[in-house]
Amino acid sequence: MGKAVLKFLFTFMLMFFTILANLLELNIVSQLIILLLFLLSGMYFFKFEILHPFVWLSPFIILYNISIIILNLLDIRDTNISDQLILSMTLAVGTLFLYFAIASKTYSNLDYKIKTFDSVSPQIFKFLFVVLILIIAVNIILFLKSGITTKSELSASGEGLNLGYIYKLFLFTTAFLLLKEILEKKSISLFLISGFLVSLFIALILGERDVLMTFIMLGIFIYYVTYKPPKKNLYLIGILSLFLLPVLGHLKNVFTKDMTGMFSEYNALLAIFNGEFLSAGRNFETILNTYGQWDFFYGETIFWDLARSIIPGFIYTFQNSIGWFNNTFHPDIVAIGRGYGFSFIAEGYINFGYFGIVLWYLILSIIMHFLYKKSQKSTYWFIGYIYMIPYFIYIQRGDLSNFISPLLKQLIVFTIFFILINSVLKQFKRKKNIENINNSI
């Protein structure tokens, strides 16, 4: 029996024991230990390959949903759904593991066909990079001059610019230029430094933490495929970045609010569980505790997600699962222009119960597997894949539309735009070369 088969059987048994412990209602700590052993065994099965979907997504599935259980064990917050949540996490991670163990033939030592772009010059992309920074700078200045303190207030006032799309184009352009620069010069890129600083200012001044965290993730993946550093170093950077999240939460809008005493009782570890990663488990808790007050949707939310992602909002705004959840359970929060997000696990559950969780993560696995395989074929596919990784992670506190929308409206649009520019530049170079030959004859 091969080593891979033994590792698969061992991991499968841990998944089975996690479900069995849950059904036997063993104490929560025991269930969590077995669940975490299952997670680590699954990552080991895929050789801790950083770019493999199971390796980078499964820890976040656990992290986004385990927080309310940890807080309950620490007597900070009560919950009555620990058993159901552990079962749901096991089904989600188990679906990913079984799918990729069966469908993916290559687990490590991947041969990424990353090569430099063959355009005439990156000058036009550098020009775009500078223009985007200038637009972002203008928005920051408007924010600081407005006298208000948060981005939601800025949007409501109408004085600022809605730059969500600009931020994403900035990240995509930075990834493109960063990869090109590293491939050609093999040195720390100016785009790495300037991109980080711009992302940091966006996070600190405007409160857009996801821009900085996305930049960090893109940088880690690009660094990994170009320099092949020890994986443990990148895992350490990733863990440290998690501790950065709650710090950024405290520091957002730092130049427009009172910081007195903000870190007087700060607990870094507790802040992780009681901040960014709390909402998904809390929202699923709401769904489970209101069972019987809502009806199963039997797949209807997929059409919501597709319609909302495809039809522009200025034509018609379709409700998605996030909208249904917040309008149903938190109308007071919606009334002031805010929301609590949702949960990808919960979206599967409100459609088909626990089977819906399996189905939703199967859909996610198929999409990730497609992009994962394509990422090894060309540079454009690679950038597209790593660009979408943060969205696969963020939808753990959202719904399927949080992935479909950026896939259609950002990745595909940006990629076509870049390919067209590259093609025009190649045609221009070819024509110029022909002219030079004719002039020399």
Side-chain angles (χ1 to χ4, degrees):
M1 187 178 293
K3 185 178 179 181
V5 176
L6 289 175
K7 288 194 295 184
F8 171 81
L9 291 176
F10 179 74
T11 307
F12 181 82
M13 289 302 295
L14 283 173
M15 181 181 71
F16 173 78
F17 286 137
T18 307
I19 296 175
L20 182 63
N22 184 268
L23 296 177
L24 294 176
E25 298 183 351
L26 297 186
N27 68 78
I28 298 302
V29 174
S30 299
Q31 292 186 49
L32 287 177
I33 290 174
I34 302 174
L35 174 61
L36 293 177
L37 287 175
F38 164 48
L39 171 66
L40 290 173
S41 180
M43 294 175 71
Y44 175 69
F45 178 78
F46 295 109
K47 300 184 179 180
F48 290 96
E49 167 53 44
I50 290 174
L51 282 166
H52 193 284
F54 180 88
V55 174
W56 53 254
L57 181 60
S58 56
F60 282 101
I61 295 175
I62 301 296
L63 194 54
Y64 269 109
N65 292 280
I66 202 174
S67 293
I68 63 171
I69 301 176
I70 299 298
L71 295 175
N72 182 56
L73 292 173
L74 295 174
D75 293 325
I76 295 175
R77 183 186 189 281
D78 292 330
T79 184
N80 60 347
I81 67 156
S82 295
D83 288 300
Q84 297 98 311
L85 200 48
I86 291 175
L87 177 60
S88 300
M89 287 187 286
T90 306
L91 293 175
V93 176
T95 301
L96 257 67
F97 172 73
L98 291 176
Y99 176 85
F100 282 104
I102 295 170
S104 183
K105 296 180 180 179
T106 305
Y107 308 134
S108 64
N109 301 319
L110 303 177
D111 181 23
Y112 281 90
K113 295 178 175 58
I114 307 301
K115 59 182 180 180
T116 188
F117 300 85
D118 54 356
S119 58
V120 176
S121 166
Q123 294 303 321
I124 190 168
F125 298 110
K126 291 180 180 178
F127 174 76
L128 176 62
F129 180 78
V130 172
V131 169
L132 292 172
I133 289 180
L134 290 175
I135 294 174
I136 292 170
V138 169
N139 197 46
I140 289 176
I141 293 171
L142 288 174
F143 177 79
L144 293 175
K145 290 180 62 178
S146 66
I148 54 185
T149 59
T150 65
K151 62 180 181 180
S152 58
E153 291 177 7
L154 183 65
S155 299
S157 70
E159 296 183 40
L161 306 172
N162 185 4
L163 297 187
Y165 204 77
I166 295 295
Y167 298 147
K168 305 309 179 185
L169 181 57
F170 167 75
L171 289 168
F172 192 85
T173 305
T174 304
F176 177 94
L177 290 171
L178 178 59
L179 182 58
K180 179 178 178 63
E181 192 85 353
I182 291 177
L183 286 170
E184 293 181 351
K185 297 184 179 180
K186 289 291 182 181
S187 61
I188 295 179
S189 170
L190 173 64
F191 301 107
L192 176 64
I193 299 172
S194 56
F196 174 78
L197 290 176
V198 171
S199 300
L200 181 62
F201 278 121
I202 292 173
L204 293 180
I205 299 176
L206 300 177
E208 300 281 359
R209 291 180 297 169
D210 62 310
V211 175
L212 178 59
M213 298 310 297
T214 299
F215 176 84
I216 291 174
M217 280 189 267
L218 292 174
I220 288 175
F221 294 131
I222 290 174
Y223 180 66
Y224 174 64
V225 298
T226 52
Y227 286 99
K228 306 294 182 184
K231 293 176 184 177
K232 62 181 180 180
N233 294 350
L234 297 183
Y235 277 106
L236 178 60
I237 294 174
I239 293 172
L240 292 176
S241 298
L242 290 180
F243 286 96
L244 182 62
L245 266 174
V247 174
L248 289 173
H250 282 277
L251 292 178
K252 67 180 180 179
N253 309 125
V254 63
F255 297 107
T256 55
K257 68 181 181 182
D258 183 14
M259 298 292 292
T260 305
M262 182 160 293
F263 290 97
S264 58
E265 298 181 0
Y266 181 74
N267 183 313
L269 185 61
L270 183 60
I272 291 177
F273 296 116
N274 204 23
E276 167 73 15
F277 299 106
L278 177 62
S279 61
R282 181 185 60 199
N283 293 338
F284 190 38
E285 178 185 49
T286 300
I287 292 297
L288 291 176
N289 286 336
T290 56
Y291 184 83
Q293 300 178 28
W294 48 268
D295 297 322
F296 286 106
F297 291 95
Y298 301 109
E300 182 181 349
T301 67
I302 292 181
F303 297 101
W304 294 355
D305 295 335
L306 287 171
R308 188 177 180 87
S309 301
I310 295 173
I311 307 299
F314 63 85
I315 296 178
Y316 186 82
T317 302
F318 288 88
Q319 177 175 254
N320 57 359
S321 299
I322 296 176
W324 168 82
F325 173 78
N326 284 279
N327 286 319
T328 301
F329 300 104
H330 305 290
D332 53 327
I333 300 299
V334 175
I336 59 175
R338 298 175 57 193
Y340 286 146
F342 194 37
S343 158
F344 195 69
I345 281 180
E347 185 181 25
Y349 186 84
I350 63 174
N351 280 279
F352 299 103
Y354 288 112
F355 173 72
I357 297 174
V358 174
L359 182 59
W360 252 240
Y361 278 91
L362 178 61
I363 293 172
L364 201 63
S365 298
I366 293 171
I367 298 172
M368 289 190 297
H369 187 213
F370 172 78
L371 292 175
Y372 175 59
K373 289 193 300 181
K374 288 293 185 180
S375 71
Q376 301 162 48
K377 304 297 183 183
S378 74
T379 310
Y380 282 113
W381 277 111
F382 172 73
I383 289 181
Y385 174 62
I386 63 172
Y387 179 80
M388 292 307 299
I389 286 177
Y391 290 103
F392 283 114
I393 293 173
Y394 295 151
I395 65 171
Q396 303 312 310
R397 54 180 171 87
D399 61 20
L400 200 57
S401 68
N402 293 136
F403 166 77
I404 299 174
S405 182
L407 175 68
L408 298 178
K409 298 177 182 178
Q410 296 175 28
L411 178 61
I412 293 178
V413 172
F414 296 163
T415 302
I416 292 174
F417 172 65
F418 274 52
I419 290 175
L420 285 176
I421 290 180
N422 199 44
S423 298
V424 170
L425 290 174
K426 287 171 65 177
Q427 291 294 329
F428 177 78
K429 181 180 180 180
R430 187 178 295 114
K431 185 180 293 185
K432 190 172 183 180
N433 289 338
I434 292 173
E435 290 177 357
N436 290 336
I437 293 173
N438 292 333
N439 292 334
S440 63
I441 292 177

